[in-house]
């Protein structure tokens, strides 16, 4: 866990006040910069020491054969892994004849600051060499939101104790060696030497390198350009070879007259374009960046983020640590999606190689709801990527003997890459997640063109999958057997409640699309009989219920299984997937992550409040949260059913998942879906936002420690601002917005621009706190009198 005071809680920055060499990997992920197209890990400028260097391009991957001890029909044949492409971050400094190295000499000061409003990472250090020569180095780094292929670094060195000669070496380095893996299956594959050189050229202060991958056949070109300031007497040399481009600059420094170097980077890749064309694009991007200049790149970065925060900022008073974490979460969600532009949103964004750089169901279920109500154009883009992969999903469905589209459990390009089919292929709920994201986007935007061109086809083809995957039993119930729900500690179960309810929603949505756009439906071969079949399957969807326990079983047999022996499970045996065989997990009542509890949230309209409460409390006893996606969901439902202090504890866990490395795997990248889930936990949990059916509703309520929650909601061209205090909530529209109707605690509210409405919040009824598995209780939070928020060992 990152400890204070090296990482103080501040509202708009993440600051590291001292360099912790034991946490290099974690800080490299935390300080990563990206824009959805290009990502740079937060490595030190000099590149060493490092845990895991990384430069990533969204969608750029290498393929490799998946190995099976015993194969089977329909098993995916190839895996895909994100590639660490040419590293342009490297800037090395030689002071007289000694390299700046934090392992050598004396590091007198070291600070890094990630500014969430500026979109920059700054570094400031003072270092004295073993020979007694002192310098100050400052750098500022950004990955541009405006120019999607461009990154820039301003590097400044100043002599502190008299004239001295220094040399800077600015590198482009391909096929950089990575460290050994940890053995954690979440980490992903470490592919090495996958890039084959195709071009290396240098001209004045510029170098361009181009490579292709050995198996996937993708091509990438990377270039660097330089501008020097305060460089009287500067000597430079540029050279290039197959995997290395290097500029070396030498100058004599005088105290008070620093040398400043601007390094501009550009990256372009393609599976179709020639190396020559990619090189031309890199040169053009570098010229545009040169013309704009570093200061203008910084200014345009701030302007982009100002517009984003206007529509996205979640303000939370009473817990400075969570406030910082929520803004960090929103910043990383933006970094993963802003310029993805018909590419996927990877589970780790572009911050590391975890999960091989794959995208999962997490994107549609956790990330897109946040984007839909803050930056809907980015949600549209992500769904357009799914649509682009629809033919591959149709092919996969046919391979499985099904109709419609079977979207992959994990992928980069669109093919299924999960080599473990019980938790991968069998997790068909990814298809309902795509349809639900379409439904939500349409509810929030009324984008008819999108529904006709993209969304309608996605919803119809996923509905066809459910119609062919399920069947009507002798009693007339529609069953979906042999599937894996969100809880990966259960597999190949019959009638998983979450899956069935989400499939039901998918089928109904497809029927509505066919009714609204008969020409679109006809173009896809939909007839009246097929629509009637969807409606009948939805109407008669089997939703198991255990009359004895008065709860919904996670699947039809779950509550008959043996209970997991939590009393004899040691704390060091979590996560269970690293210490116990799946066969043992599958046979017991133990839950990796919220499953039916997620259904209580996303399909809350299918349950009464009393059912939601009983189900939540039952599954609290067996949910171990071995997934980063659990705490945020538990937070939302805990708040909804009245366990506010427990919800507060879970919001803290969700929000601090990466900043405190709670899952112990932030080293290979941050958890984008969990970060989005933290925002969802605050807004849907304490803000009470729901979007069931065709309406927006609110049921806000705050825990005792929090004094205010405020957030905007982008909805049908309006900006609705919601401000929650302990007893009241204020709703307001933008000055030019059209009137809007929604519900507040079940009562219809008609809101007009210029006339805010304040409504009362009903008090929560007292409830006995539910139990969690021994040793898996969330850390409760309390705010002490000086305003610091600390974790305690008291269960909520």
């Amino acid at each position: 866990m990152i400890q204070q005071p090296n990482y103080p809680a501040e509202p708009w920055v993440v600051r590291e006040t001292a360099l912790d060499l034991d946490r290099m990997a974690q800080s490299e992920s935390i300080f990563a910069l990206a824009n959805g197209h290009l990502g740079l890990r937060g490595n030190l400028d000099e590149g060493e020491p490092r845990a895991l260097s990384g430069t990533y391009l969204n969608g750029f991957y290498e393929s490799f054969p998946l190995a099976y001890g015993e194969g089977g029909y329909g098993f995916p044949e190839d895996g895909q892994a994100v590639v660490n492409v040419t590293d342009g971050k490297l800037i090395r400094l030689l002071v007289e004849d000694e390299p700046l190295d934090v392992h050598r000499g004396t590091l007198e000061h070291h600070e890094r600051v990630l500014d969430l409003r500026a979109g920059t990472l700054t570094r400031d250090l003072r270092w004295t060499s073993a020979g007694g020569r002192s310098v100050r180095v400052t750098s500022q780094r950004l990955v541009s939101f405006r120019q999607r292929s461009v990154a820039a670094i301003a590097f400044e060195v100043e002599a502190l104790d008299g004239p001295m000669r220094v040399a800077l070496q600015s590198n482009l380095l391909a096929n950089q060696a990575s460290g050994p893996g940890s053995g954690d299956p979440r980490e992903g594959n470490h592919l090495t030497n996958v890039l084959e050189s195709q071009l290396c050229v240098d001209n004045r202060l510029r170098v361009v390198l181009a490579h292709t991958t050995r198996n996937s056949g993708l091509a990438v070109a990377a270039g660097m350009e330089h501008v020097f300031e305060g460089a009287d007497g500067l000597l430079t040399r540029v050279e290039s070879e197959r995997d290395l481009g290097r500029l070396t600059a030498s100058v004599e420094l005088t105290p008070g007259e620093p040398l400043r170097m601007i390094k501009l980077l550009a990256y372009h890749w393609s599976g179709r374009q020639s190396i020559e064309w990619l090189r031309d694009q890199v040169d053009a991007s570098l010229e545009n960046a040169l013309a704009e200049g570093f200061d203008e790149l910084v200014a345009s970065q701030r302007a982009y983020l100002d517009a984003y925060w206007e529509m996205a900022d979640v303000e939370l008073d009473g817990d400075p640590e969570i406030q910082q974490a929520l803004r960090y979460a929103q910043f990383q969600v933006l970094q993963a999606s802003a310029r993805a532009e018909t590419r996927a949103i990877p589970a780790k964004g572009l911050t590391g190689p975890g999960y091989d750089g794959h995208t999962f169901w997490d994107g549609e279920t956790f990330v897109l709801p946040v984007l839909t109500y803050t930056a809907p154009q980015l949600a549209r883009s992500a769904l357009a990527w799914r649509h682009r992969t629809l033919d591959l999903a149709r092919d996969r469905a046919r391979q499985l003997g099904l109709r419609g589209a079977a979207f992959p459990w994990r992928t980069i390009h669109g093919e299924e890459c999960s080599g473990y089919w019980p938790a991968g292929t069998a997790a068909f709920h990814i298809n309902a997640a795509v349809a639900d994201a379409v439904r939500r986007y349409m509810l929030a935007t009324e984008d008819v063109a999108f529904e006709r061109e993209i969304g309608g086809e996605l919803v119809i083809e996923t509905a066809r999958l459910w119609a062919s995957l399920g069947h009507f039993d002798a009693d007339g119930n529609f069953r979906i057997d042999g599937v894996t729900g969100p809880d990966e500690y259960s597999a190949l179960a019959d009638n998983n409640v979450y899956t069935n309810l989400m499939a039901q929603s998918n089928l109904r949505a497809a029927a509505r699309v066919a009714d609204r756009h008969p020409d679109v439906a006809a173009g896809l071969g939909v007839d009246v009989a097929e629509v009637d079949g969807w409606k009948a399957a939805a109407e008669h969807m089997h939703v198991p219920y255990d009359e004895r326990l008065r709860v919904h079983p996670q699947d039809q047999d779950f509550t008959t299984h043996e209970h997991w022996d939590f009393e004899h499970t040691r704390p060091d045996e979590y996560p269970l997937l690293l210490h116990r065989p799946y066969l043992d997990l599958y046979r017991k009542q133990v839950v990796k992550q919220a499953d039916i509890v997620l259904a209580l949230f996303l399909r809350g309209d299918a349950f009464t409040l009393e059912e939601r409460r009983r189900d939540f409390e039952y599954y609290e006893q067996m949910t171990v949260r071995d997934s980063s996606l659990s705490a945020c969901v538990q937070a939302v439902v805990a708040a909804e059913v009245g366990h506010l202090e427990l919800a507060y504890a879970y919001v803290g866990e969700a929000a601090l998942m990466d900043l405190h490395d709670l899952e112990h795997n932030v080293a290979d990248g941050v958890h984008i879906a969990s970060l989005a889930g933290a925002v969802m936990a605050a807004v849907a949990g304490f803000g009470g936002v729901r979007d069931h059916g065709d309406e927006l509703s609110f049921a806000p309520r705050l825990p005792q420690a929090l004094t205010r929650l405020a957030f905007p909601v982008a909805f049908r061209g309006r900006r609705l601002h919601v401000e929650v205090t302990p007893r009241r909530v204020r709703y307001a529209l933008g000055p030019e917005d059209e009137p809007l109707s929604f519900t507040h605690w079940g009562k219809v509210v008609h809101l007009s621009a210029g006339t805010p409405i304040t409504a009362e919040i009903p008090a929560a009824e007292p409830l006995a706190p539910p139990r969690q598995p021994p040793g898996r209780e969330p850390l409760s939070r309390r705010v002490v009198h000086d305003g610091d928020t600390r974790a305690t060992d008291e269960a909520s």
Side-chain angles (χ1 to χ4, degrees):
M1 181 178 291
I2 292 180
Q3 299 289 340
Q4 304 288 358
N6 285 358
Y7 290 79
E10 301 180 58
W12 284 103
V13 303
V14 177
R15 185 188 309 271
E16 177 191 60
T17 60
L19 185 63
D20 185 349
L21 296 179
D22 293 330
R23 295 195 56 82
M24 288 296 294
Q26 291 86 345
S27 65
E28 288 166 358
S29 296
I30 295 298
F31 290 125
L33 295 176
N35 63 8
H37 170 71
L38 167 65
L40 309 180
R41 275 178 68 83
N43 304 110
L44 302 180
D45 299 296
E46 56 272 22
E48 297 179 25
R50 69 173 186 270
L52 187 64
S53 184
T55 301
Y56 309 105
L57 292 166
N58 195 348
F60 191 85
Y61 70 95
E62 178 64 311
S63 56
F64 58 92
L66 290 172
Y68 300 98
E70 183 175 343
Y73 179 80
F75 282 19
E77 296 179 358
D78 293 311
Q80 299 167 356
V82 66
V83 174
N84 178 21
V85 299
T86 314
D87 188 359
K89 304 184 298 293
L90 294 168
I91 301 175
R92 291 172 175 147
L93 172 65
L94 194 73
V95 178
E96 299 290 358
D97 62 347
E98 294 185 60
L100 189 156
D101 183 346
V102 297
H103 281 306
R104 302 169 59 177
T106 303
L107 186 63
E108 297 166 353
H109 170 76
H110 191 278
E111 180 176 271
R112 286 187 288 181
V113 177
L114 176 62
D115 190 320
L116 306 177
R117 285 183 291 191
T120 58
L121 175 65
T122 60
R123 182 188 185 201
D124 182 79
L125 67 91
R126 291 191 303 275
W127 178 80
T128 300
S129 70
R133 306 312 307 271
S134 298
V135 293
R136 179 182 182 185
V137 174
T138 58
S139 66
Q140 186 176 30
R141 180 187 299 179
L142 66 85
V143 175
S144 176
F145 287 117
R146 297 291 188 195
Q147 298 193 39
R148 69 191 294 259
S149 301
V150 169
I153 305 169
F155 187 93
E156 185 173 288
V157 55
E158 180 180 2
L160 297 180
D161 60 356
M164 66 180 69
R165 180 160 290 277
V166 301
L168 290 181
Q169 288 183 316
S170 174
N171 292 0
L172 273 177
L173 179 62
N175 286 318
Q176 193 170 31
S178 61
S182 69
D184 189 328
R186 301 167 295 182
E187 186 178 81
N189 291 275
H190 288 263
L191 304 182
T192 58
N193 294 317
V194 301
L195 297 175
E196 294 185 317
S197 176
Q198 303 296 329
L199 177 146
C200 52
V201 293
D202 57 79
N203 181 25
R204 297 186 180 179
L205 301 181
R206 179 176 301 183
V207 178
V208 177
L209 304 180
H211 293 79
T212 55
T213 54
R214 298 180 188 276
N215 298 324
S216 62
L218 304 180
V220 58
M224 64 178 183
E225 177 65 278
H226 304 82
V227 177
F228 288 93
E229 300 172 6
D232 291 343
L234 183 75
L235 300 175
T236 62
R237 178 185 177 185
V238 174
E239 53 194 321
S240 60
E241 52 192 68
R242 292 173 61 85
D243 287 343
L244 175 67
R246 181 167 60 208
L247 175 143
T248 304
S250 175
V251 71
E252 185 167 348
L253 293 183
T254 301
E257 298 180 5
L259 172 68
R260 188 175 193 236
M261 179 182 73
I262 306 300
K263 181 175 186 178
L264 303 171
L265 299 169
Y267 292 83
H268 287 271
W269 76 268
S270 177
R272 299 176 184 157
Q273 296 170 343
S274 66
I275 292 294
E276 293 76 20
W277 195 359
L278 290 173
R279 179 205 172 173
D280 288 347
Q281 292 173 50
V282 165
D283 280 330
S285 291
L286 289 173
E287 287 299 323
N288 282 340
L290 273 173
E292 189 164 355
F294 185 80
D295 291 342
E296 281 303 310
L297 286 171
V298 171
S300 66
Q301 190 86 335
R302 178 59 185 255
Y304 185 100
L305 283 164
D306 283 347
Y308 169 70
W309 288 117
E310 178 69 20
M311 291 302 300
D313 186 28
V314 176
E315 301 173 78
L316 184 144
D317 295 346
D319 194 323
E321 195 173 47
I322 294 183
Q323 173 67 91
Q324 177 193 47
L326 288 175
R327 286 184 173 136
Y328 177 78
Q330 290 183 283
F331 180 73
Q332 286 291 6
V333 168
L334 180 69
Q335 288 204 131
S337 59
R339 302 304 305 272
E341 296 171 9
T342 70
R343 299 286 176 194
I345 300 175
K348 292 279 189 174
L350 298 173
T351 67
Y355 305 121
D356 283 331
H358 292 168
T359 187
F360 297 75
W361 69 294
D362 311 0
E364 281 80 8
T365 303
F366 294 86
V367 181
L368 294 201
V370 173
L371 292 177
T372 294
Y373 294 118
T374 57
Q377 73 281 5
L378 302 184
R380 191 187 203 278
S381 176
L383 289 168
W385 170 76
R386 282 291 186 193
H387 188 260
R388 285 183 61 200
T389 69
L390 191 52
D391 284 342
L392 292 172
R394 289 189 179 104
D395 290 343
R396 181 62 174 159
R398 282 192 291 270
Q399 187 181 35
L400 298 173
L402 301 169
R403 297 189 65 220
F407 283 104
W409 178 241
R410 56 186 301 168
T411 189
I412 294 177
H413 183 260
E415 297 87 351
E416 178 61 74
C417 293
S418 174
Y420 183 60
W421 65 269
T425 296
F428 286 101
H429 61 87
I430 172 63
N431 302 282
V434 173
D436 192 53
V438 171
R439 177 200 65 81
R440 180 175 294 104
Y441 175 80
M442 285 303 305
L443 170 68
T445 65
E446 298 181 315
D447 185 346
V448 176
F450 166 84
E451 186 171 53
R452 292 183 58 83
E453 298 165 9
I454 294 173
E457 190 172 11
L458 288 172
V459 170
I460 285 171
E461 293 292 10
T462 48
R464 282 173 162 162
L465 177 89
W466 299 116
S468 63
L469 182 66
H471 69 281
F472 288 95
D473 64 17
D475 296 324
N477 297 313
F478 190 79
R479 303 171 54 92
I480 303 175
D481 296 331
V483 300
T484 299
D487 171 31
E488 294 162 15
Y489 286 172
S490 298
L492 303 181
D494 294 343
N495 295 299
N496 172 260
V497 169
Y498 173 84
T499 301
N500 284 20
L501 286 175
M502 295 301 291
Q504 180 186 61
S505 178
N506 191 165
L507 291 160
R508 288 172 175 168
R512 288 194 298 270
V513 166
D515 290 342
R516 281 196 298 267
H517 306 291
D519 58 327
V520 172
L524 295 170
V526 177
D527 58 23
V528 173
E530 186 171 21
V531 174
D532 288 344
W534 297 340
K535 292 177 179 178
E539 178 68 22
H540 299 284
M541 184 67 67
H542 181 44
V543 180
Y545 185 75
D546 188 320
E547 296 286 354
R548 178 178 60 87
L549 295 173
R550 299 178 65 224
V551 299
H552 292 84
Q554 185 168 282
D555 58 72
Q556 70 177 35
D557 299 316
F558 185 82
T559 53
T560 67
H561 293 174
E562 181 183 356
H563 287 267
W564 185 268
D565 184 2
F566 291 110
E567 294 292 343
H568 294 93
T569 303
R570 301 190 312 272
D572 63 355
E573 292 184 288
Y574 293 99
L576 295 176
L577 65 96
L578 300 184
H579 301 92
R580 298 296 181 90
Y582 273 109
L583 178 63
D584 197 21
L585 298 170
Y586 291 162
R587 297 167 53 247
K588 305 288 178 60
Q589 287 193 62
V590 57
V591 179
K592 178 183 179 183
Q593 64 199 77
D595 186 302
I596 200 168
V597 175
L598 182 58
L600 301 179
F601 170 34
L602 296 181
R603 284 300 318 274
D605 56 322
F607 304 86
T608 67
L609 174 60
E610 186 59 31
E611 287 173 336
R612 290 196 294 274
R613 185 173 291 160
R614 286 200 305 270
D615 285 353
F616 175 78
E617 292 175 355
Y618 182 81
Y619 288 97
E620 271 293 282
Q621 303 172 73
M622 60 193 66
T623 302
V624 295
R625 302 193 315 287
D626 281 352
S627 165
S628 64
L629 298 177
S630 195
C632 56
V633 178
Q634 290 170 271
V636 172
V637 180
E640 181 179 34
V641 301
H643 295 294
L644 285 170
E645 298 311 312
L646 178 59
Y648 182 31
Y650 279 136
V651 167
E653 184 172 304
L656 297 167
M657 187 67 63
D658 287 324
L659 290 178
H660 285 186
D661 196 13
L662 300 182
E663 288 289 315
H664 307 293
N665 66 338
V666 77
D668 57 22
V670 302
H671 301 78
I672 298 301
S674 177
L675 290 166
V679 180
M680 195 161 62
V683 172
F686 301 142
V689 180
R690 296 292 185 276
D691 55 16
H692 302 315
D694 296 321
E695 69 173 17
L696 197 61
S697 64
F698 298 85
R701 190 181 274 149
L702 298 179
Q704 186 176 4
L706 303 182
T707 58
R708 176 177 171 270
L709 171 70
F711 55 91
V713 179
F715 192 74
R716 298 179 179 175
R718 304 163 176 85
R719 182 184 184 275
L720 172 63
H721 187 264
V722 182
E723 184 174 23
V724 185
T725 54
R727 296 185 179 180
R728 297 174 184 84
V729 58
R730 181 179 184 271
Y731 301 103
L733 288 169
E736 306 298 324
D737 287 342
E738 294 293 320
L740 179 66
S741 296
F742 52 89
T743 63
H744 165 81
W745 282 100
K747 296 181 180 179
V748 177
V749 173
H750 301 288
L751 185 64
S752 298
T755 310
I757 289 176
T758 300
E760 298 293 320
I761 296 175
E765 61 178 294
L767 297 172
R771 294 181 299 146
Q772 292 79 35
R776 304 304 288 171
E777 305 87 354
L779 296 178
S780 68
R781 305 186 63 82
R782 61 181 175 84
V783 180
V784 296
H785 62 86
D786 62 357
D788 291 334
T789 305
R790 299 170 185 166
T792 74
D793 292 328
E794 300 169 5
S796 296

